Amino acid sequence: MESFNYIDKVLENQKIYFESQKTKNIDFRIRQLDILKMAIEDYEDKIIKAVKLDFNKCEFETYETEIGFVLSEIKYVRNKIKRWSKSKKVKGSLLTPGSKTYIYNQPYGVSLIISPWNYPFQLCISPLIGSIIGGNCCIVKPSELSPNTSKIIKEMIKEYFEEKYICVIEGDIQINQYLLKQKFDYIFFTGSPMVGKIVMKSAADNLIPYTLELGGKSPCIVDESCDIELIAKRIVWGKLLNGGQTCIAPDYIIAHKNIKSRLIDSMIKYIEQFYTSNPLTSKDYTSVINKRHFERIVSLIDYDKVIYGGNLDTQNLKIEPTIMDNVNLEDKIMKEEIFGPLIPVMKFDNTEKLLYIIKQNPNPLALYLFTKNKKFENEILSRVSFGGGCINDTIMHITNPNAPFGGIGNSGIGNYHGKQSFDTFSHKKTVMKNLANIDIKFKYPPYTKKAYKILKIILK
Ligand code: NAD
């Protein structure tokens, strides 16, 4: 664990380095992206091993959701950063004829990134890409619950970047609390809504701008008008990816009463097709991160409602994909984000009942709707507030770099990915360049009746 003195020193040096203006140069930023890409490629095997050690995630999923994800993001932003970083000229105002107004993208300074354990590499590096393209220095604090990956991230960043530009600080909650008391210029936090509130309060103390990427209970609605086989396949994949420990995993399913039992049968078929009839032994099935979370998830199982799964491998912290049927809002599993491989299924027979269920956990990070009924689709989209989501799929909206990713209310504030990462890590500085030789006299006191009339004409 790093000492508080060390943190003070790094922060001070980063502030000085930022003032040197080097990080603002666009070619510098592009070079740093290239270095980051090189570092990740060099550390690929070590990252895969570290993530495996942390929670037994298989190589395919680690490449898909951690390494490949950020490499493709680097490629995408590298091609666009020159365009994004240009100042933008906007239309002038009537009160300043002849003036020109520009929006400049100004880096904040030194950013702090705090990330969770569930995608331990991606959720550190993806915001870091934003910090780099925004022209900021950065302190990254990975999660103490994925210590092997955190260690590798630290090693990789130390080897490829100067500490006065990017530095990884490892440590427990005490370190986070200390970091949150410092005067950073931007805070980017990913984690639970509970800790999100702590971060928001700390940011408020120093009036630091921030982004919160949080979680919540994301509903998955299945209407009667669809192809059950394909839906079941997409739900099972999205739910069990990363062992169910995905912020945008479909948390619970609300299926139309006419297709619910067919959907359950199909989900069981795909669980076994993906992970064999004994998923606990499948090499592709990820463990729960630690004993505390294992016990928390197990405590959400109501064995009277289990219709598939329920077995545990306590030694390897694996919980079988477990389907619970006839779940209702009073069940414990509906009171918190599951963040594990449990699949509670509820039913609906009319839209009002469906909306009532969803509203018990407002502003989810994601919403998934399976339907062929356009009217129903429009109604759900216009009536339910949520971070983002898919129609007829799960998870995949996060893979599109052309669109922002983030939550609303309980699931977060602000967003990132692609252009939005650049915008998140850049302050928009509006500057009007006025003419030095033309002046509108009527705006100055003493105010006359004539001036008041002119003002009313212009502003109406
Ligand atoms: P967490 O909130 O417990 O921890 C996140 C980070 O906060 C960690 O680095 C941890 O060290 C730090 N932390 C924990 N307690 C703290 C405290 N009291 N004071 C200061 N810092 C503290 O979250 P987690 O368990 O690591 O991750 C799971 C949560 O994150 C879920 O709710 C999930 O939905 C959410 N999540 C959201 C996204 C997203 O993109 N929106 C992505 C992944 C995870």
Side-chain angles (χ1 to χ4, degrees):
M1 192 166 102
E2 324 287 1
S3 74
F4 294 160
N5 281 345
Y6 173 68
I7 293 174
D8 293 346
K9 199 184 104 217
V10 172
L11 182 56
E12 195 186 324
N13 287 340
Q14 290 206 351
K15 294 232 171 201
I16 293 168
Y17 190 59
F18 180 72
E19 283 308 321
S20 76
Q21 311 300 313
K22 286 205 175 102
T23 66
K24 294 182 179 172
N25 180 289
I26 302 302
D27 290 328
F28 172 90
R29 301 185 207 182
I30 291 173
R31 235 173 12 256
Q32 305 314 308
L33 288 176
D34 292 341
I35 293 171
L36 184 60
K37 177 172 179 278
M38 213 172 11
I40 296 169
E41 283 168 350
D42 184 15
Y43 269 71
E44 187 177 313
D45 290 345
K46 288 184 185 166
I47 298 162
I48 288 168
K49 275 191 197 124
V51 177
K52 176 109 189 143
L53 275 173
D54 278 331
F55 59 134
N56 195 32
K57 182 159 153 175
C58 66
E59 181 172 342
F60 185 95
E61 279 192 15
T62 298
Y63 194 87
E64 178 188 33
T65 64
E66 312 262 7
I67 299 171
F69 189 94
V70 294
L71 285 177
S72 72
E73 188 162 11
I74 291 173
K75 188 171 162 195
Y76 179 85
V77 300
R78 194 193 183 286
N79 288 334
K80 308 222 182 273
I81 181 182
K82 278 205 166 137
R83 181 147 41 94
W84 294 340
S85 58
K86 282 195 180 120
S87 58
K88 191 176 157 207
K89 190 174 170 209
V90 292
K91 266 174 109 176
S93 110
L94 285 176
L95 290 171
T96 52
S99 70
K100 291 181 180 143
T101 297
Y102 296 87
I103 304 168
Y104 291 90
N105 293 292
Q106 176 185 281
Y108 281 99
V110 180
S111 55
L112 169 66
I113 292 170
I114 298 180
S115 59
W117 53 266
N118 65 321
Y119 286 89
F121 187 76
Q122 187 224 116
L123 294 172
C124 273
I125 304 300
S126 182
L128 177 62
I129 294 169
S131 177
I132 292 173
I133 58 176
N136 304 278
C137 296
C138 187
I139 288 182
V140 182
K141 163 60 182 63
S143 174
E144 68 283 5
L145 300 188
S146 44
N148 295 290
T149 314
S150 299
K151 189 163 156 263
I152 284 300
I153 295 172
K154 183 173 173 78
E155 197 182 306
M156 180 186 88
I157 294 293
K158 202 169 175 175
E159 187 179 332
Y160 280 87
F161 295 95
E162 288 186 282
E163 188 175 272
K164 63 185 180 188
Y165 175 49
I166 303 172
C167 179
V168 176
I169 303 277
E170 284 185 281
D172 59 15
I173 290 170
Q174 256 186 315
I175 289 287
N176 276 24
Q177 286 164 342
Y178 187 76
L179 284 167
L180 287 170
K181 286 200 189 106
Q182 309 312 308
K183 292 199 170 167
F184 282 92
D185 302 296
Y186 200 88
I187 300 175
F188 189 101
F189 172 81
T190 309
S192 61
M194 194 190 78
V195 181
K197 288 179 192 170
I198 295 172
V199 173
M200 198 167 168
K201 281 183 192 145
S202 309
D205 284 342
N206 288 311
L207 287 176
I208 301 172
Y210 56 86
T211 298
L212 302 178
E213 295 285 339
L214 311 177
K217 283 184 89 62
S218 300
C220 177
I221 306 158
V222 185
D223 182 26
E224 59 181 333
S225 68
C226 28
D227 169 5
I228 297 295
E229 282 287 303
L230 187 60
I231 294 166
K233 194 176 181 185
R234 289 180 176 174
I235 293 175
V236 167
W237 174 79
K239 179 73 188 188
L240 299 180
L241 181 78
N242 216 36
Q245 301 158 112
T246 302
C247 55
I248 49 168
D251 185 278
Y252 59 99
I253 292 163
I254 325 174
H256 193 278
K257 71 175 184 0
N258 294 347
I259 48 92
K260 188 181 71 144
S261 62
R262 273 195 292 138
L263 178 70
I264 290 173
D265 289 346
S266 260
M267 287 198 296
I268 294 170
K269 177 179 137 191
Y270 282 106
I271 289 170
E272 300 197 344
Q273 210 174 90
F274 293 170
Y275 301 104
T276 77
S277 56
N278 185 6
L280 292 178
T281 58
S282 163
K283 68 170 179 42
D284 295 329
Y285 191 56
T286 307
S287 297
V288 174
I289 188 71
N290 60 23
K291 196 158 173 276
R292 178 170 65 84
H293 276 286
F294 181 83
E295 285 167 358
R296 179 189 62 77
I297 298 165
V298 171
S299 80
L300 301 178
I301 302 175
D302 175 349
Y303 278 92
D304 288 342
K305 297 196 171 184
V306 170
I307 51 160
Y308 180 82
N311 292 310
L312 310 173
D313 173 350
T314 312
Q315 201 173 357
N316 293 307
L317 299 181
K318 284 190 176 187
I319 300 169
E320 228 175 17
T322 299
I323 302 178
M324 284 165 56
D325 194 9
N326 296 320
V327 169
N328 62 55
L329 286 168
E330 303 317 312
D331 287 316
K332 193 174 173 201
I333 198 164
M334 288 306 293
K335 304 283 184 206
E336 63 179 82
E337 183 182 2
I338 301 169
F339 226 54
L342 313 182
I343 313 178
V345 183
M346 307 169 93
K347 67 171 184 221
F348 76 97
D349 49 18
N350 67 65
T351 309
E352 294 313 313
K353 186 167 173 201
L354 171 71
L355 291 171
Y356 177 79
I357 294 171
I358 297 170
K359 281 193 176 148
Q360 303 317 303
N361 291 285
N363 293 323
L365 182 57
L367 179 141
Y368 302 111
L369 170 61
F370 289 88
T371 185
K372 284 185 183 155
N373 180 339
K374 207 74 201 137
K375 194 166 157 251
F376 183 54
E377 176 188 316
N378 289 340
E379 186 168 11
I380 297 299
L381 288 185
S382 77
R383 287 182 68 179
V384 185
S385 162
F386 58 97
C390 305
I391 307 294
N392 296 323
D393 212 334
T394 61
I395 310 284
M396 297 310 285
H397 61 296
I398 201 174
T399 63
N400 186 350
N402 300 302
F405 172 79
I408 171 168
N410 194 61
S411 58
I413 294 173
N415 36 46
Y416 74 133
H417 288 171
K419 166 90 162 47
Q420 199 54 50
S421 285
F422 177 79
D423 288 339
T424 288
F425 281 93
S426 319
H427 166 64
K428 306 293 162 204
K429 183 161 74 180
T430 295
V431 177
M432 174 187 283
K433 300 186 184 179
N434 209 348
L435 298 173
N437 51 356
I438 297 181
D439 195 28
I440 293 195
K441 302 224 168 30
F442 79 86
K443 75 177 177 189
Y444 301 105
Y447 303 122
T448 62
K449 277 195 174 151
K450 191 176 162 204
Y452 192 38
K453 257 189 199 158
I454 298 172
L455 182 75
K456 279 188 156 178
I457 290 167
I458 293 177
L459 291 186
K460 226 172 218 166

